[in-house]
């Protein structure tokens, strides 16, 4: 196997449409997003928002071939126009205000840059369609008897669009429209810069100011489709990374989604889970509502079975290019892990991890016996549950205490690895790496995030020319630990401000560390229980400053919410919501990957280190009552 990068870690923004389409794996998220309706795509950094938008664009649809592509293509029903973000939309507004210009002037120039950016993408899509569907070029005086559009039809359309958009193309062709709009972008940036530097006052009179994005694009596309004899055709703007746009642009676009559903133009917007659009008072702004106006899609998985299935498809889409992996499933390459327990499911795949035979059965029994020798609270638990370690342990539903043993087995292994012989003490720092190898663990750690998954597998496979499988556990765990530490280091350097509106004086990683250390202490030092807390609820005692730190953590995927975001665009508030640390931080804080009961965040933050850990948390009990029961049952 080549020592070159195994699965090519990627950032779809910098990749061509062909490169994105070559290994694209459609998921249920893609199906929810792709339909002919307005959509808001919410997800953390690296969650795959750009990939999904590029695959819905006309270029992505052209590049996507093969048997799996056709069923999806038939359901799209529109031409997608990919619109990448541009930080100039915001910096232009900021620079004008800093130079003493009226905010209204800054908003006008910022909107002009945004609208021109959108129209440029629309013109490029029309140009591409015209290239693939050439018009008839008739000699003068010859009648058109085919019903197909002619060169004269196309020129009339371009002239109409140029008038609508206030541009002067050098020729009446879609390509000239593209060139004219590129020139306009330069003009807008130059005019805004000169106005700021020369401190011009008074009303600006540039013709490009005040053009409405939705109307100008819709009317142009109606004219274009009429020329091509397809008046009922629909288009869709795919506005990527829209959280970087100024708040006034987000207001404008989100409000437009209420009215655009029955028109020529659909809107799909990608946003961070906690963006500036959620911090202003939306009442009275007639913004869209979920289900009625928009389909909101969240790029995180409450159902881990679905996430693992998606991870498997990502693996297979890329591993087929490597001869040593041909025909192999992920479990063949990485083995299995009985420690990747993320819920209490009793499906066949989950139960299969706990089929104790031979050496594995001996290891599990030894873990139980070793912990019982040094932990009196565990011995009391065994006595209360009437579990006799001198008997053979079985973890299937039909075995004596099978469900209980299966549920606590990973906890026993973690606690035994880190607990010292003294009461409430922890032993050395040697990590319990066995929990972070095997396919189930790798898939769980990736959270269904394709970039994270690819990064994990790349690191595992790039250390040697692997031809014997499964990959040795030390090689897996070393690679996983390396990736997780790099992620933790990134979080330590994350800025305490995002989008100019989410600001905190509390370092983001400090909050995460307090949470992770608290959970580890509850797992190792407190009285042994079947379900130690591994999740938290942001209660009312948590300060706004800490909540803002958590908002930034959400945007980076560092914490995962158990609930669906109630507001269009993500979470307007985190209070009352239940979260857990991302499993990508589990190896860093020495935690198992599982669902569990919760504790209030204020209790975590107020806990003092190196003190006995209380198992009682009245604040958490009150908070838990506000959580819907079905969230606990998933």
């Amino acid at each position: 196997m080549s020592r070159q990068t195994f699965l090519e870690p990627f950032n779809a923004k910098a990749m061509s449409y062909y490169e994105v389409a070559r290994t694209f794996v459609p998921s249920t998220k893609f199906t929810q997003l792709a339909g002919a309706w307005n959509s808001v795509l919410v997800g953390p950094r690296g969650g795959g928002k750009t990939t999904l938008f590029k695959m819905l664009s006309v270029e992505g649809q052209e590049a996507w071939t093969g048997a799996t592509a056709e069923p999806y293509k038939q359901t799209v029903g529109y031409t997608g126009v990919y619109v990448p973000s541009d930080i100039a939309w915001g910096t232009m507004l900021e620079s004008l205000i800093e130079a003493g210009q009226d905010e209204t002037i800054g908003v006008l120039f910022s909107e002009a840059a945004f609208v021109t950016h959108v129209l440029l993408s629309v013109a490029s899509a029309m140009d591409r369609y015209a290239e693939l569907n050439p018009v008839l070029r008739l000699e003068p005086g010859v009648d058109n008897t085919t019903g197909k559009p002619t060169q004269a039809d196309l020129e009339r359309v371009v002239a109409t669009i140029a008038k609508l958009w206030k541009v002067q193309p050098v020729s009446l062709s879609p390509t000239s429209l593209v060139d004219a709009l590129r020139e306009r972008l330069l003009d807008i940036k130059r005019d805004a810069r000169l106005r700021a530097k020369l401190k011009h006052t008074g009303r600006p009179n540039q013709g490009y100011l005040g053009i409405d994005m939705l109307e100008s694009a819709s009317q142009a596309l109606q004219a274009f489709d009429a020329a091509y004899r397809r008046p009922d055709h629909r288009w869709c703007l795919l506005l990527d990374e829209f959280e970087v746009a100024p708040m006034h642009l987000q207001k404008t676009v989100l409000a437009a989604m209420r009215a655009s559903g029955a028109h020529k133009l659909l809107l799909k917007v990608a946003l961070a889970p906690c963006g500036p659009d959620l911090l202003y008072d939306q009442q009275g702004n007639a913004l869209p509502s979920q289900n009625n106006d928009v389909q909101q899609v969240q790029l995180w998985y409450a159902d881990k079975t679905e996430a693992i299935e998606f991870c498997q498809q990502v693996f297979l889409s890329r591993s087929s290019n490597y001869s040593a992996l041909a025909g192999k499933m992920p479990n063949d390459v990485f083995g299995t892990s009985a420690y990747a327990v993320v819920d209490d499911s009793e499906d066949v795949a989950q139960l299969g991890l706990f089929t104790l035979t031979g050496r594995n059965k001996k290891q599990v029994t030894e873990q139980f016996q070793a912990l019982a020798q040094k932990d009196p609270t565990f011995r009391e638990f065994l006595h209360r549950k009437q579990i006799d370690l001198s008997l053979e342990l079985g973890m299937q539903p039909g075995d004596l205490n099978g469900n209980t043993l299966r549920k606590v087995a990973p906890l026993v292994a973690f606690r035994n690895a880190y607990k010292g012989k003294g009461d409430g003490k922890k032993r050395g720092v040697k990590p319990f790496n066995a929990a972070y190898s095997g396919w189930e663990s790798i898939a769980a750690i990736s959270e269904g995030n394709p970039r994270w998954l690819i990064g994990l597998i790349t690191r595992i496979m790039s250390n040697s020319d692997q031809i014997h499988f499964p990959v040795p556990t030390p090689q897996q765990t070393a690679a996983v630990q390396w990736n997780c530490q790099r992620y933790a280091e990134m979080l330590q350097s994350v800025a305490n401000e995002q989008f100019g509106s989410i600001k905190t004086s509390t370092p983001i990683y400090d909050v995460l560390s307090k949470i992770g250390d608290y959970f580890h202490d509850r797992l190792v030092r407190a009285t042994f229980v079947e379900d130690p807390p591994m999740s938290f609820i942001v209660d009312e005692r948590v300060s706004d400053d800490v909540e803002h730190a958590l908002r930034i953590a959400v945007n980076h995927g560092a914490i995962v919410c158990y609930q669906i975001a109630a507001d269009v665009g993500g979470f307007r508030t985190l209070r009352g919501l239940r979260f857990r640390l991302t499993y990508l931080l589990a190896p860093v804080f020495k935690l198992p990957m599982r669902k569990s009961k919760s504790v209030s965040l204020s209790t975590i933050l107020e806990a003092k280190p190196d003190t006995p850990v209380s198992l009682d948390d009245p604040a958490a009990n009150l908070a838990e009552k506000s959580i819907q029961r079905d969230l606990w049952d998933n």
Side-chain angles (χ1 to χ4, degrees):
M1 184 182 300
S2 170
R3 287 185 180 272
Q4 295 181 348
T5 302
F6 167 59
L7 289 180
E8 304 170 19
F10 67 93
N11 184 332
K13 190 172 183 179
M15 296 170 65
S16 70
Y17 291 96
Y18 170 76
E19 290 174 316
V20 174
R22 183 168 56 90
T23 54
F24 176 65
V25 176
S27 64
T28 56
K29 306 294 185 182
F30 183 70
T31 302
Q32 295 168 19
L33 175 70
W37 45 69
N38 294 328
S39 303
V40 175
L41 180 63
V42 182
R45 182 181 179 186
K49 299 189 294 294
T50 297
T51 294
L52 296 184
F53 270 25
K54 279 196 166 184
M55 289 307 301
L56 285 177
S57 70
V58 60
E59 296 89 349
Q61 292 284 295
E62 290 174 9
W64 191 19
T65 59
T68 59
E70 291 308 315
Y72 288 94
K73 287 185 177 184
Q74 294 173 8
T75 63
V76 171
Y78 52 79
T79 299
V81 180
Y82 178 69
V83 183
S85 62
D86 188 345
I87 60 172
W89 303 337
T91 57
M92 186 177 298
L93 173 61
E94 293 170 3
S95 63
L96 285 168
I97 293 176
E98 289 174 0
Q101 296 285 320
D102 184 272
E103 183 177 356
T104 303
I105 302 299
V107 167
L108 279 173
F109 276 95
S110 177
E111 285 183 345
F114 166 65
V115 171
T116 303
H117 206 83
V118 170
L119 298 183
L120 174 60
S121 297
V122 171
S124 297
M126 290 190 295
D127 188 30
R128 178 62 176 163
Y129 185 85
E131 179 183 349
L132 295 176
N133 299 273
V135 295
L136 296 175
R137 296 181 178 273
L138 300 177
E139 295 296 330
V142 177
D143 293 332
N144 179 15
T145 59
T146 65
K148 296 181 180 180
T150 66
Q151 180 66 28
D153 293 330
L154 183 59
E155 290 178 356
R156 280 194 296 271
V157 168
V158 172
T160 299
I161 295 174
K163 185 176 181 180
L164 287 171
W165 292 356
K166 312 296 183 188
V167 293
Q168 296 179 338
V170 296
S171 66
L172 296 178
S173 69
T175 301
S176 287
L177 273 180
V178 172
D179 294 339
L181 288 165
R182 286 179 177 152
E183 183 179 349
R184 170 174 285 174
L185 273 178
L186 295 176
D187 289 343
I188 294 171
K189 294 177 181 180
R190 179 201 62 203
D191 293 347
R193 187 166 54 250
L194 288 175
R195 189 174 186 90
K197 288 185 176 296
L198 298 178
K199 300 187 183 301
H200 285 172
T201 57
R203 185 183 181 89
N205 59 4
Q206 284 87 347
Y208 53 69
L209 297 177
I211 296 177
D212 181 85
M213 179 270 291
L214 194 61
E215 281 301 316
S216 57
S218 294
Q219 290 190 31
L221 291 170
Q222 286 174 356
F224 183 80
D225 283 338
Y228 276 89
R229 315 303 195 256
R230 52 174 200 172
D232 296 329
H233 185 71
R234 304 183 84 179
W235 298 69
C236 180
L237 293 182
L238 305 162
L239 301 171
D240 195 16
E241 295 181 313
F242 206 52
E243 65 270 8
V244 306
M247 198 178 298
H248 68 276
L249 291 180
Q250 296 192 41
K251 281 185 181 181
T252 300
V253 170
L254 290 176
M257 297 178 87
R258 285 185 61 91
S260 64
H263 291 254
K264 168 69 66 174
L265 197 58
L266 297 170
L267 296 172
K268 296 187 187 293
V269 179
L271 291 168
C274 295
D277 57 297
L278 295 161
L279 293 181
Y280 62 82
D281 183 5
Q282 297 185 359
Q283 292 183 356
N285 287 325
L287 291 180
S289 61
Q290 292 193 52
N291 301 321
N292 292 327
D293 301 306
V294 301
Q295 170 83 14
Q296 180 151 294
V297 182
Q298 298 181 158
L299 281 182
W300 58 87
Y301 291 89
D303 181 357
K304 291 302 169 185
T305 301
E306 181 184 354
I308 290 176
E309 181 179 343
F310 173 65
C311 289
Q312 178 172 292
Q313 294 305 314
V314 171
F315 173 86
L316 294 175
S317 73
R318 291 168 173 259
S319 63
S320 59
N321 295 325
Y322 298 85
S323 57
L325 300 177
K328 289 184 170 58
M329 300 297 289
N331 288 95
D332 300 326
V333 178
F334 303 107
T336 60
S337 172
Y339 299 109
V341 183
V342 293
D343 55 32
D344 297 325
S345 171
E346 293 188 0
D347 60 35
V348 174
Q350 187 78 58
L351 291 173
L353 300 176
F354 293 94
T355 302
L356 302 183
T357 57
R359 184 168 176 266
N360 184 35
K361 177 183 291 187
K362 181 181 179 182
Q363 288 177 339
V364 172
T365 302
E366 289 174 349
Q367 296 273 15
F368 276 74
Q369 293 173 341
L371 183 60
Q373 290 177 3
K374 60 185 175 183
D375 186 353
T377 68
F378 182 55
R379 290 198 298 271
E380 193 280 329
F381 167 80
L382 294 174
H383 176 73
R384 188 172 69 252
K385 294 291 185 178
Q386 299 182 338
I387 297 174
D388 187 351
L389 296 184
S390 66
L391 302 177
E392 183 174 296
L393 299 181
M395 296 191 184
Q396 300 303 302
D399 295 327
L400 181 64
N401 295 307
N403 292 334
T404 298
L405 290 170
R406 185 175 67 255
K407 183 177 181 179
V408 303
L411 300 178
V412 170
F414 269 89
R415 191 174 175 94
N416 182 55
Y418 292 110
K419 190 170 183 63
K421 294 183 179 180
D423 185 29
K425 301 295 184 181
K426 293 191 290 186
R427 69 177 180 85
V429 294
K430 184 179 179 181
F432 177 51
N433 284 333
Y436 310 119
S437 64
W439 171 243
E440 293 80 13
S441 289
I442 292 169
I445 289 171
S446 78
E447 298 281 4
N449 182 319
R451 191 185 299 181
W452 289 358
L453 177 67
I454 291 168
L456 286 165
I457 298 178
T458 294
R459 187 73 186 181
I460 292 171
M461 302 301 296
S462 63
N463 289 337
S464 65
D465 289 334
Q466 190 65 48
I467 57 175
H468 300 295
F469 301 106
V471 177
T473 295
Q475 182 174 328
Q476 293 187 48
T477 55
V480 169
Q481 286 281 2
W482 188 92
N483 273 36
C484 294
Q485 288 292 342
R486 299 295 82 73
Y487 177 69
E489 290 170 4
M490 181 277 292
L491 291 173
Q492 292 177 50
S493 63
V494 165
N496 286 18
E497 178 180 338
Q498 276 192 339
F499 316 128
S501 56
I502 305 177
K503 302 176 183 179
T504 178
S505 61
T506 303
I508 286 80
Y509 194 74
D510 283 4
V511 179
L512 300 175
S513 293
K514 289 181 180 178
I515 296 169
D517 292 343
Y518 179 90
F519 288 154
H520 179 75
D521 281 347
R522 291 290 291 263
L523 176 67
V524 175
R525 297 175 60 219
T527 301
F528 183 89
V529 292
E530 289 183 63
D531 195 20
M534 292 289 155
S535 62
F536 62 92
I537 294 173
V538 185
D539 57 293
E540 292 299 327
R541 289 190 291 162
V542 173
S543 68
D544 291 343
D545 196 64
V546 169
E547 192 210 11
H548 278 208
L550 292 175
R551 294 175 74 83
I552 295 174
V554 169
N555 287 341
H556 286 275
I559 59 176
V560 178
C561 188
Y562 281 94
Q563 289 107 311
I564 295 173
D567 299 300
V568 171
F571 301 106
R572 193 185 306 186
T573 179
L574 304 186
R575 298 189 188 279
L577 301 181
R578 179 186 174 210
F579 293 87
R580 62 169 171 79
L581 293 174
T582 174
Y583 293 139
L584 197 60
L585 290 175
V588 177
F589 296 120
K590 305 178 183 66
L591 298 173
M593 294 171 286
R594 63 183 294 137
K595 285 187 176 180
S596 67
K597 68 178 183 180
S598 63
V599 63
S600 66
L601 180 58
S602 62
T603 296
I604 295 175
L605 299 180
E606 292 166 6
K608 295 180 180 180
D610 300 323
T611 58
V613 184
S614 171
L615 288 174
D616 297 321
D617 182 14
N621 293 334
L622 290 174
E624 288 178 14
K625 292 180 181 179
S626 66
I627 305 298
Q628 295 179 6
R629 293 302 306 170
D630 60 343
L631 294 172
W632 296 96
D633 297 334
N634 286 339

